[in-house]
Amino acid sequence: MKRSRDRAASELFAALYPRLAGWCRRLVDDDETAHEIASEAFTRLWARWTSVEEPRGFLYVTAANLVRDHWRKLERERRAVRRATTEAAVRPHPEQDDPSVRLLVRSLPERLRVPILLHYYADMPIREVAALTGRKEGTVKADLHAARELLRVHLRRSLDHTR
């Protein structure tokens, strides 16, 4: 039993790790951090192996949460640096300096951000996003629409500031 469980876990790792790590890499823009997040997601899956019904979904939701924690940590570090900097002219305005979609997605409320990450960055169908988030498919579709509209407004605003 343990041997087949180990083999199943090993096969799952071989099948999903590269794509999960690549997805994380696109979100955090750092190879080492992406691999740490993907590895931690697998570690957490392994700890709950017998109770997880959908390992792929568990991995992506766990990784999304770890990415969110990483972003929060970076933001805390940025705020600390800004507080330590006494000259107002040196203070960056991240929304204006970097209008990248990744930063804009990061600025979305969690209710909208998680479906965007799962649907567009992890290529999960809407029904799977609905199942993983515990929402109805119509709600996920509405959240995706609302998120796209917010992203469109933020991107336009960011681009207008750079002209």
Side-chain angles (χ1 to χ4, degrees):
M1 178 70 175
K2 182 174 178 359
R3 185 173 295 226
S4 65
R5 179 179 163 218
D6 289 349
R7 187 174 62 233
S10 179
E11 289 171 1
L12 184 73
F13 183 84
L16 296 181
Y17 183 84
R19 189 167 182 177
L20 181 67
W23 179 68
C24 292
R25 169 67 175 85
R26 287 193 309 271
L27 295 174
V28 299
D29 202 27
D30 177 64
D31 285 334
E32 186 176 337
T33 303
H35 285 286
E36 287 174 9
I37 289 171
S39 297
E40 178 63 20
F42 270 95
T43 299
R44 292 182 184 189
L45 172 64
W46 184 248
R48 295 164 185 78
W49 183 250
T50 57
S51 62
V52 174
E53 290 183 31
E54 177 49 54
R56 180 175 177 257
F58 179 90
L59 287 168
Y60 276 90
V61 168
T62 300
N65 288 334
L66 292 168
V67 165
R68 182 197 64 223
D69 293 345
H70 172 74
W71 286 343
R72 285 180 178 164
K73 178 183 173 207
L74 289 178
E75 186 55 37
R76 285 191 305 269
E77 290 170 357
R78 282 189 200 108
R79 280 195 303 260
V81 168
R82 281 196 298 265
R83 278 193 306 269
T85 304
T86 56
E87 297 175 16
V90 178
R91 292 185 185 161
H93 299 284
E95 296 79 17
Q96 293 175 5
D97 290 346
D98 189 354
S100 73
V101 173
R102 184 171 43 88
L103 287 176
L104 294 175
V105 168
R106 189 171 111 190
S107 72
L108 290 171
E110 184 171 357
R111 174 183 68 82
L112 301 177
R113 184 177 58 244
V114 170
I116 287 284
L117 291 174
L118 294 175
H119 184 65
Y120 291 107
Y121 287 84
D123 295 325
M124 290 186 183
I126 289 174
R127 73 178 147 62
E128 194 170 345
V129 173
L132 290 172
T133 59
R135 299 179 190 152
K136 294 180 179 180
E137 286 185 36
T139 303
V140 170
K141 288 177 184 178
D143 287 346
L144 288 170
H145 176 75
R148 285 189 306 268
E149 288 303 311
L150 276 174
L151 291 171
R152 192 178 340 248
V153 167
H154 287 295
L155 188 56
R156 268 198 200 110
R157 192 177 310 137
S158 295
L159 291 174
D160 288 345
H161 285 283
T162 60
R163 289 183 186 165

